[in-house]
Amino acid sequence: MGTVTRVDGPLVEIEGLAGAAMFESVVLGPHRLPGEIIALRGDRATVQAYEYTGGLAPGQPAERRGAPLSARLGPHLLGGVFDGLLRPLGGAGMWLDPAAPPARTEARSWCFTPLAGEGRAAARGTPLGSVESGSSPPYLVLSPGGEVSRIRPAGPCPSGAPVAVVGGAEVALEREQPVRRALPYAARLPEPVPLTTGQRVVDLLLPVSLGGTVAVPGGFGTGKTVLLQQIAKWCDADVVVYVGCGERGNEMADVVAELGRLADPRTGGRLADRTVVIANTSNMPMMAREASVYTGVTVAEHFRDMGYDVVVIADSTSRWAEALRELGSRRGALPAEEGYPADLASALAAFYERAGRVTTLGGATGSVTIIGAVSPPGGDMTEPVTAQTQRFVRTLWALDRDLAYARHYPAVSWPGSFARDADAMAAAVPGGAERRGRVSGLLAEAERVSALAELVGAGTLPPQERVALLAGRLIAEGFLRQSALSPRDAFCRPERTALLADALLAVVDRCRSLVEGQVPVARLEQLDFTPILRAKEAPEEEIAARRDEVLAALEASR
């Protein structure tokens, strides 16, 4: 037991905690508010509190928990909504009271199926049994390693009941896991395997691999949340962990409601059944943002160890960085650029390095892909959080305000973005490298010529450069622009993406050949390209017919 000596917002100082360890959990005051030790000097500990500290006063008791900050992992996670400490929010009421005990999941019974036999050795990480929970992926209970001396027969199993005894220790459906410590694995897999998101600009030009890392920086109103919600709905991951880190409550409510309404195209059930939502909104305690980030990636690693591909969506890491800045200023830490703590880069690196595609201890293949939104003030891409994040991610989807205001969705700026593994992933698809190279080249040429056209006027440019502008417009409007509200265009399969790209490239090639044959470029610019521009809304079997219609119109213009 110790005594509170100072309370400054989320910063609490305690005396008398002899033998305490860094990042050990503590409870503060008579309401037992959760906190975590972040600095030690003798028997004096500095604690960051994860609840509102109003009413906490010097002289009140503080108690060590004897364990690091941990999250409770179990089959109740899938389809649930939790706070930053992974406490269920279901049944918590409209307003959260820090003095009230956290809401708990109901003691429910799960249908357990054993997968291991008694008297046999079960290596660490191999499944002992599975739990079926509706249409979500089966939840696997993994072995800690050792001989299985007893295992529960198939049938109902309460949440807290042990399902097996392995190596003399009981194994339960639920367990506590420290959130700051990465779960172990056997080996990293270096070969990039693409994650299909259903967004054409991403899948063709700026792909992300399973186990990759992505930053999505963009100013207010550029569509970060909409893009992340689309990826949560349509990506081909087995499990999605959506972390709302300091975001507005109405946006989180929209996410939860939308996931509950949508049908999962893979299983036919609810999309929410394979999603874990960690809701830490802007009006919740500030330092719980840090807990929510680490809790989210720990949940992802837990399902990765079962052999699943997991996507973590953190919206947004800037709010986490702001919490670190405020706590650092209260501690009197030496500030770095714009007041952020000097160890900001280390904190971001430690978060993103937990992504990866691995061979698990049980021999399965699983992955954790981290997609983090960044909210630079005023859209300034040189501010510290954005600049430091770009150092540690493999892919950047920079959102452009001009594209967003022009109603171009997704507003991903292709000149300002990058994907370091794009060439390797494109080479694995027949014709993928050539297709991506041609589309990227046409967009780059159109970007260069458009800057020139703003100075001298498009009408004064040579015919080939005017064709480059036309090609850029066709690709931007007919391929890159994608409606999140269209039932047919909200998601685009890789095969459909290739068909649309090839159809547009065929039209561009014909335009160039006609101009080389002395056909006036003005005549081509006046043609109606609507059939190919609206091919993305057409059934897949009609794309070729729309391409041929436009090609026939081009031939008639000779």
Side-chain angles (χ1 to χ4, degrees):
M1 297 289 292
T3 303
V4 174
T5 59
R6 176 191 173 206
V7 181
D8 184 5
L11 181 72
V12 180
E13 289 189 355
I14 303 171
E15 285 186 348
L17 286 184
M22 281 290 290
F23 301 118
E24 183 177 352
S25 292
V26 296
V27 289
L28 306 169
H31 297 313
R32 301 182 65 81
L33 306 180
E36 183 182 26
I37 296 176
I38 57 173
L40 286 169
R41 182 175 296 177
D43 66 345
R44 174 171 296 189
T46 302
V47 174
Q48 60 182 11
Y50 290 126
E51 286 286 7
Y52 175 62
T53 55
L56 185 66
Q60 292 184 345
E63 180 182 349
R64 292 171 49 197
R65 298 288 301 276
L69 181 68
S70 301
R72 190 162 189 80
L73 307 177
H76 63 283
L77 293 174
L78 291 171
V81 182
F82 307 87
D83 71 355
L85 299 178
L86 215 60
R87 298 174 297 190
L89 291 178
M94 181 175 295
W95 301 103
L96 301 179
D97 181 5
R104 309 292 296 181
T105 53
E106 295 182 4
R108 57 178 292 187
S109 184
W110 304 90
C111 183
F112 176 76
T113 303
L115 299 176
E118 293 183 357
R120 296 185 178 181
R124 185 180 180 185
T126 56
L128 295 172
S130 67
V131 172
E132 298 290 342
S133 54
S135 59
S136 58
Y139 180 88
L140 301 180
V141 182
L142 303 181
S143 168
E147 182 179 341
V148 181
S149 56
R150 180 166 59 87
I151 192 163
R152 191 181 188 92
C157 176
S159 296
V163 297
V165 176
V166 180
E170 290 187 344
V171 179
L173 286 180
E174 300 179 353
R175 65 184 178 92
E176 297 284 338
Q177 175 63 41
V179 299
R180 290 185 181 269
R181 186 185 310 152
L183 273 67
Y185 52 84
R188 277 187 180 265
L189 300 176
E191 303 85 5
V193 177
L195 170 74
T196 300
T197 66
Q199 309 304 299
R200 288 187 293 270
V201 63
V202 169
D203 292 341
L204 182 66
L205 298 180
L206 303 164
V208 56
S209 62
L210 291 173
T213 51
V214 185
V216 190
F220 178 78
T222 54
K224 292 188 302 296
T225 301
V226 176
L227 176 58
L228 295 179
Q229 289 181 13
Q230 284 294 97
I231 292 173
K233 296 174 191 175
W234 303 111
C235 73
D236 61 352
D238 299 308
V239 176
V240 176
V241 180
Y242 196 103
V243 182
C245 181
E247 286 303 295
R248 292 177 289 275
N250 60 334
E251 291 184 357
M252 287 304 307
D254 288 343
V255 170
V256 174
E258 188 73 11
L259 292 174
R261 286 193 299 263
L262 285 176
D264 188 349
R266 305 176 65 185
T267 64
R270 294 191 317 148
L271 188 60
D273 291 338
R274 62 179 179 93
T275 304
V276 181
V277 177
I278 298 176
N280 181 257
T281 56
S282 56
N283 61 339
M284 289 183 177
M286 178 190 64
M287 291 316 302
R289 299 174 189 178
E290 181 171 29
S292 66
V293 167
Y294 286 110
T295 297
V297 75
T298 300
V299 170
E301 290 175 338
H302 180 58
F303 286 102
R304 175 206 67 191
D305 290 347
M306 302 178 195
Y308 296 132
D309 294 319
V310 189
V311 168
V312 179
I313 296 176
D315 186 11
S316 91
T317 56
S318 292
R319 307 290 178 251
W320 167 34
E322 290 167 3
L324 295 177
R325 177 170 60 183
E326 180 169 340
L327 186 71
S329 67
R330 292 180 183 274
R331 292 177 58 190
L334 184 66
E337 186 178 1
E338 295 190 16
Y340 287 102
D343 61 350
L344 174 64
S346 298
L348 292 171
F351 171 61
Y352 282 106
E353 74 178 359
R354 292 177 69 169
R357 182 168 173 264
V358 304
T359 299
T360 67
L361 296 177
T365 298
S367 67
V368 172
T369 306
I370 298 180
I371 303 175
V374 185
S375 306
D380 179 15
M381 297 297 181
T382 64
E383 61 91 31
V385 181
T386 306
Q388 296 289 357
T389 300
Q390 292 185 43
R391 296 173 52 197
F392 309 118
V393 296
R394 302 292 299 173
T395 305
L396 179 75
W397 301 335
L399 302 183
D400 184 81
R401 180 180 300 171
D402 293 336
L403 287 176
Y405 290 174
R407 297 184 180 180
H408 180 110
Y409 172 85
V412 178
S413 170
W414 45 90
S417 304
F418 62 78
R420 295 188 171 103
D421 300 320
D423 291 338
M425 285 186 282
V429 180
E434 179 184 1
R435 185 180 299 113
R436 178 181 181 273
R438 291 200 60 199
V439 172
S440 299
L442 289 172
L443 290 171
E445 186 179 5
E447 188 78 13
R448 177 187 63 83
V449 175
S450 64
L452 183 60
E454 290 178 359
L455 295 176
V456 300
T460 63
L461 296 175
Q464 286 295 344
E465 293 192 339
R466 290 173 66 175
V467 171
L469 286 177
L470 175 62
R473 180 175 69 86
L474 291 177
I475 292 174
E477 295 183 13
F479 183 79
L480 300 182
R481 179 177 286 176
Q482 192 169 351
S483 173
L485 303 178
S486 168
R488 181 165 282 147
D489 198 38
F491 170 78
C492 195
R493 298 185 307 113
E495 296 81 5
R496 183 180 176 88
T497 296
L499 279 176
L500 285 170
D502 291 342
L504 285 162
L505 290 174
V507 171
V508 170
D509 289 343
R510 191 57 186 149
C511 289
R512 282 186 163 173
S513 65
L514 289 174
V515 169
E516 291 172 356
Q518 306 305 313
V519 175
V521 67
R523 193 181 301 172
L524 301 182
E525 292 172 337
Q526 293 171 1
L527 287 177
D528 182 13
F529 291 96
T530 302
I532 194 65
L533 293 178
R534 294 185 178 176
K536 57 189 178 184
E537 297 281 357
E540 202 165 296
E541 58 272 12
E542 293 183 11
I543 294 176
R546 289 173 174 263
R547 175 203 61 199
D548 294 341
E549 181 181 350
V550 174
L551 291 176
L554 289 171
E555 288 296 327
S557 67
R558 299 183 66 171

